[in-house]
Amino acid sequence: MLRGSLFSTVILFCFSPLLSQRLTPSDHEQKLKQLSDSGKVQYLIENNYALYSADYDHALRLMNEGRDISKSHAWKEQEAYLNTFIGVTLYLKGNYQEALPAFLEAYAIFDSLKNYDGLARLCNELGVFHRRNTDATTAMEYLKKAEQF
């Protein structure tokens, strides 16, 4: 009996993060209010999936604010990542024409910084973006670039 109870406790402890509630847009807002500019930008980068999964429009507003903060401090790498996530969110929202400029701006920044990790991640996103927009040739070009980085 004790072994079964201990096993249940271990399983519950290990999977409790998976069972917890997702953060709401207002939860994210509360967390962001407590952070410095660099903390806000880092939070947005680290939590981009949770943000756009909760609400595309809210995520776009916050990521645009984060990009503006990054620009004002000349944090180019963070600006590029936020442009990438803006592109992803716009794409998922169905705004394909708006997504591509955000992706291309991120590409230009990552390239200027010689940030090969950022370029590889972005090229994977661009490969998926172009494939889903039925441009298999361009998709393959980006996926090959991603492999090179």
Side-chain angles (χ1 to χ4, degrees):
M1 181 71 140
L2 183 59
R3 188 185 320 184
S5 178
L6 180 60
F7 179 74
S8 297
T9 302
V10 168
I11 294 297
L12 185 59
F13 178 76
C14 291
F15 291 100
S16 64
L18 299 174
L19 301 174
S20 65
Q21 288 186 24
R22 288 185 178 180
L23 294 178
T24 65
S26 61
D27 293 332
H28 290 294
E29 291 283 352
Q30 289 301 316
K31 288 182 178 283
L32 287 165
K33 284 180 184 176
Q34 302 169 16
L35 300 173
S36 65
D37 281 356
S38 64
K40 287 176 186 175
V41 168
Q42 196 60 37
Y43 181 88
L44 294 169
I45 290 170
E46 291 174 0
N47 292 283
N48 73 85
Y49 177 80
L51 287 162
Y52 72 67
S53 294
D55 183 327
Y56 291 138
D57 293 327
H58 184 254
L60 283 169
R61 184 179 61 75
L62 292 177
M63 285 189 258
N64 277 298
E65 288 175 12
R67 183 184 58 195
D68 292 344
I69 291 169
S70 296
K71 282 183 179 183
S72 73
H73 291 285
W75 298 332
K76 300 304 282 179
E77 182 177 8
Q78 291 84 347
E79 180 185 346
Y81 276 108
L82 286 163
N83 270 318
T84 301
F85 302 139
I86 289 167
V88 168
T89 306
L90 286 166
Y91 169 74
L92 291 172
K93 191 176 175 193
N95 296 349
Y96 308 119
Q97 298 299 331
E98 294 176 46
L100 189 56
F103 284 139
L104 295 178
E105 179 66 22
Y107 190 97
I109 295 169
F110 283 136
D111 192 42
S112 73
L113 298 173
K114 301 206 181 330
N115 181 328
Y116 300 118
D117 182 58
L119 283 167
R121 291 171 188 234
L122 178 59
C123 284
N124 276 321
E125 293 293 349
L126 281 164
V128 172
F129 173 82
H130 284 290
R131 179 65 185 108
R132 295 221 172 128
N133 283 294
T134 66
D135 186 352
T137 303
T138 305
M140 287 307 297
E141 289 172 9
Y142 277 111
L143 292 172
K144 285 178 185 175
K145 281 184 183 181
E147 283 182 353
Q148 294 171 355
F149 295 120

